[in-house]
Amino acid sequence: DATEVCDDVDNNCDSAIDEGVTTTFYADTDGDSYGDALSSTDDCSAPSGYVSDNTDCDDTNGSVNPAASELCDGLDNDCDASTTEDGLASFLDSSGVSSDVTSIFSGDVSLSSDGTYTLCDGTWTVNLDIDADITIESAGGAAVTTLDGSAVGSVLDIGDGYSVSVSGFTIADGSADAGSLFGYTDMGGGIYCGEGSTLTLTDSALTDNTASLGGGLAGVDCDIEVVDSTF
């Protein structure tokens, strides 16, 4: 006649232990406090590595869960398929840590940390001053991602001695404000590449950029490779 309670004892003598009074817990393999609905166990209290939540959409990645912010990285970071990545920018540093950098990609932008910048679909009105070894890539390609210099400076101004890779952008409306050669003091409206640097430009289109020398692209002692791009 006893009432069954969750205590690992057959309280009501029916040969079943804790029937109907256990709680379902879900595996939290990545340790982010959000569990996997497809991996569960019933118990009186949460076993080690299990939680009561079941809303994680990727239990192998601790940065992916319903509380995470969406990043421009091709992942459903916030476990909400309706959230768009358009207009977002992310940075993957040299140690492999991702962060959202959307707020800095407007106007004059100084990039001084090594790593990879990924920009999702949209028009970014920026003049990038690059003093680091970086990759800057668009998620959707040149047809949907534009770097617009707003006619106030070079769209990308690469300093001296850096390795830079640029991929998948329309680079437009740059007005050169960098460089000096043969008396010219404004070079590379779209991209200026400084002395001793290397630049790889891939799958991009440079249009409506102006300069005294090298409207689309100019470099002084810069090793430049252009692949599948138009001017």
Side-chain angles (χ1 to χ4, degrees):
D1 290 327
T3 299
E4 191 71 16
V5 295
C6 207
D7 59 359
D8 291 326
V9 174
D10 180 13
N11 306 97
N12 59 8
C13 299
D14 67 351
S15 299
I17 296 176
D18 296 339
E19 72 278 10
V21 293
T22 56
T23 300
T24 301
F25 298 97
Y26 303 90
D28 180 24
T29 304
D30 56 16
D32 61 2
S33 300
Y34 293 85
D36 180 359
L38 300 179
S39 179
S40 64
T41 188
D42 293 331
D43 211 327
C44 295
S45 59
S48 177
Y50 283 78
V51 294
S52 58
D53 179 89
N54 68 346
T55 59
D56 204 340
C57 58
D58 183 353
D59 202 37
T60 65
N61 188 336
S63 64
V64 173
N65 58 65
S69 298
E70 195 66 24
L71 296 174
C72 179
D73 60 2
L75 300 176
D76 182 10
N77 306 93
D78 63 358
C79 294
D80 182 352
S82 67
T83 305
T84 180
E85 293 187 352
D86 293 357
L88 297 179
S90 64
F91 175 59
L92 181 68
D93 67 21
S94 54
S95 66
V97 176
S98 292
S99 58
D100 179 71
V101 292
T102 304
S103 62
I104 74 166
F105 265 81
S106 179
D108 292 328
V109 181
S110 178
L111 304 181
S112 57
S113 298
D114 295 350
T116 299
Y117 292 87
T118 303
L119 277 59
C120 278
D121 299 358
T123 296
W124 300 83
T125 304
V126 290
N127 303 99
L128 303 179
D129 186 8
I130 301 172
D131 292 303
D133 296 329
I134 70 167
T135 293
I136 179 168
E137 60 187 14
S138 76
V144 291
T145 315
T146 298
L147 301 178
D148 188 324
S150 193
V152 296
S154 297
V155 182
L156 292 93
D157 181 355
I158 302 169
D160 297 342
Y162 299 104
S163 178
V164 175
S165 176
V166 179
S167 176
F169 293 98
T170 292
I171 298 171
D173 205 21
S175 179
D177 59 359
S180 178
L181 185 68
F182 304 137
Y184 294 100
T185 56
D186 56 334
M187 301 169 57
I191 302 174
Y192 171 76
C193 186
E195 191 170 349
S197 290
T198 62
L199 166 66
T200 302
L201 176 67
T202 307
D203 295 327
S204 294
L206 285 83
T207 182
D208 296 326
N209 300 288
T210 61
S212 293
L213 189 64
L217 169 63
V220 178
D221 292 330
C222 174
D223 185 3
I224 299 173
E225 181 181 13
V226 178
V227 181
D228 293 334
S229 297
T230 59
F231 292 82

